[in-house]
Amino acid sequence: MEPANYTRVTEFVLTGLSQTREVQLVLFVIFLSFYLFILPGNVLIICTIRLDPHLTSPMYFLLANLAFLDIWYSSITAPKMLVDFFVERKRISFGGCIAQLFFLHFVGASEMFLLTVMAFDRYAAICRPLHYATIMNRRLCCILVALSWLGGFIHSIIQVVLIVRLPFCGPNELDSYFCDITQVVRIACANTFPEELVMIFSSGLISVVCFIALLMSYAFLLAMLRKHSGSGESTSRAMSTCYSHITIVVFMFGPSIYIYARPFDSFSLDKVVSVFHTVIFPLLNPIIYTLRNKEVKTAMRKLVNRYILCREVKDK
């Protein structure tokens, strides 16, 4: 029940990752390095897939979309976190907090749904190889990507509607470096049990169900590859791709399940898991895909060599 008289909170104060100046400087250097690696790594993936004529498979189209979402996802929290390392009192307006929360769940959920689409793509490639090009045509790929974004948007709108309906009349300190539902709900001036239940269902339960379904799907695909295929290069490449996808699924869904699939109480590991989920995880995607995908590595080397050659010719 909303109180009859209360002063609306207009801003939130973030506690950040540390209050010690020396630790903040060390963290700034570490996370700035992460962020500066994420952007070029994912931009290079997108440019390589767009410019290389050999990377026209639906898998690479989906990978380029995943890289774009990684750039966006890491840019939601990292820039403000880096700036706040040099600010004594870390503030964020109520509107800015809601916007950050919205985009965090919009992009995060879209990425989860996109990983599900990528699992379907691998199923079509491995179990229906003769009809793969027909099944995963460009039109269907665009529709599935659009549905992933739509699903993320609907999911995020649900979280925002639940949050903006709550009254915030007193405490405005969030024990984190960014705004998320798990922190904002705790300081509301009302009984938030119904809202928490809906949030746990819409965020946590969906994460658990998708995670289990994806693991089972990839386990089935790996079993199919071992049972019906030999030890040729195409089989090894398909298995390597599946292992890459499984790694990404674990890194994406593991922290999400920890954060959202439980009551929103505070635990000592919360900030560590949040940092991994919002800053470190997007870095891992380009590393995992480039290290385990021979075609992408070869195409990247060609693109970089072509760029260097063009610069040398221009300088002369």
Side-chain angles (χ1 to χ4, degrees):
M1 190 75 179
E2 187 172 321
N5 297 307
Y6 68 90
T7 303
R8 182 77 178 182
V9 168
T10 58
E11 67 175 15
F12 295 107
V13 178
L14 306 172
T15 60
L17 293 174
S18 174
Q19 303 299 320
T20 308
R21 187 64 177 170
E22 292 75 14
V23 175
Q24 290 188 27
L25 291 175
V26 172
L27 292 175
F28 172 79
V29 173
I30 293 173
F31 293 132
L32 180 63
S33 303
F34 274 125
Y35 189 61
L36 292 179
F37 191 85
I38 290 170
L39 290 180
N42 285 293
V43 169
L44 183 59
I45 287 178
I46 295 172
C47 292
T48 301
I49 293 172
R50 290 281 297 173
L51 298 175
D52 194 291
H54 301 97
L55 302 180
T56 56
S57 167
M59 179 183 74
Y60 297 115
F61 172 75
L62 298 175
L63 176 57
N65 280 275
L66 183 67
F68 174 75
L69 288 175
D70 281 332
I71 294 173
W72 195 358
Y73 193 66
S74 62
S75 300
I76 295 170
T77 58
K80 177 165 177 54
M81 178 186 68
L82 292 171
V83 171
D84 282 347
F85 280 127
F86 297 95
V87 178
E88 186 172 345
R89 190 170 174 81
K90 305 166 180 55
R91 294 186 176 94
I92 184 170
S93 67
F94 183 85
C97 180
I98 296 301
Q100 191 177 64
L101 186 153
F102 167 79
F103 285 110
L104 189 73
H105 284 266
F106 172 38
V107 180
S110 298
E111 191 159 345
M112 287 184 177
F113 294 136
L114 184 61
L115 288 173
T116 306
V117 173
M118 293 175 76
F120 175 73
D121 170 74
R122 289 301 83 205
Y123 166 80
I126 294 170
C127 299
R128 298 287 186 272
L130 298 179
H131 303 93
Y132 175 61
T134 305
I135 296 172
M136 293 300 295
N137 57 71
R138 181 52 65 97
R139 181 173 178 273
L140 179 62
C141 287
C142 291
I143 290 174
L144 291 175
V145 169
L147 288 175
S148 298
W149 284 54
L150 179 62
F153 178 79
I154 293 172
H155 163 78
S156 186
I157 283 294
I158 292 172
Q159 315 306 310
V160 170
V161 168
L162 290 172
I163 289 293
V164 296
R165 290 175 60 253
L166 294 174
F168 298 94
C169 53
N172 68 336
E173 185 176 277
L174 303 178
D175 187 22
S176 184
Y177 60 94
F178 69 102
C179 277
D180 198 6
I181 57 174
T182 55
Q183 290 88 33
V184 176
V185 163
R186 292 177 199 156
I187 62 173
C189 303
N191 176 21
T192 60
F193 178 76
E195 286 79 7
E196 281 193 49
L197 205 59
V198 175
M199 290 174 184
I200 291 172
F201 178 81
S202 62
S203 295
L205 186 59
I206 289 176
S207 298
V208 172
V209 171
C210 288
F211 179 63
I212 294 173
L214 285 170
L215 287 186
M216 291 176 63
S217 300
Y218 282 116
F220 170 76
L221 293 177
L222 289 172
M224 288 283 291
L225 286 169
R226 290 196 177 98
K227 182 178 179 181
H228 298 291
S229 302
S231 56
E233 184 181 349
S234 60
T235 302
S236 300
R237 188 162 56 240
M239 292 184 70
S240 178
T241 302
C242 285
Y243 284 128
S244 297
H245 288 201
I246 291 171
T247 305
I248 294 298
V249 166
V250 171
F251 282 138
M252 177 68 184
F253 285 90
S256 180
I257 291 171
Y258 171 83
I259 295 170
Y260 302 113
R262 61 175 176 83
F264 296 161
D265 298 320
S266 180
F267 293 95
S268 57
L269 281 177
D270 286 358
K271 288 186 180 180
V272 176
V273 176
S274 295
V275 166
F276 182 87
H277 191 51
T278 59
V279 180
I280 299 177
F281 162 72
L283 168 68
L284 298 175
N285 280 357
I287 293 177
I288 291 170
Y289 278 112
T290 53
L291 288 181
R292 298 192 65 93
N293 193 302
K294 184 179 178 181
E295 288 83 0
V296 174
K297 284 192 292 184
T298 303
M300 280 184 173
R301 278 196 295 266
K302 289 180 180 178
L303 183 64
V304 172
N305 290 337
R306 193 188 314 164
Y307 174 78
I308 294 173
L309 183 62
C310 290
R311 289 297 297 266
E312 289 177 352
V313 172
K314 186 181 290 187
D315 291 340
K316 290 179 180 179

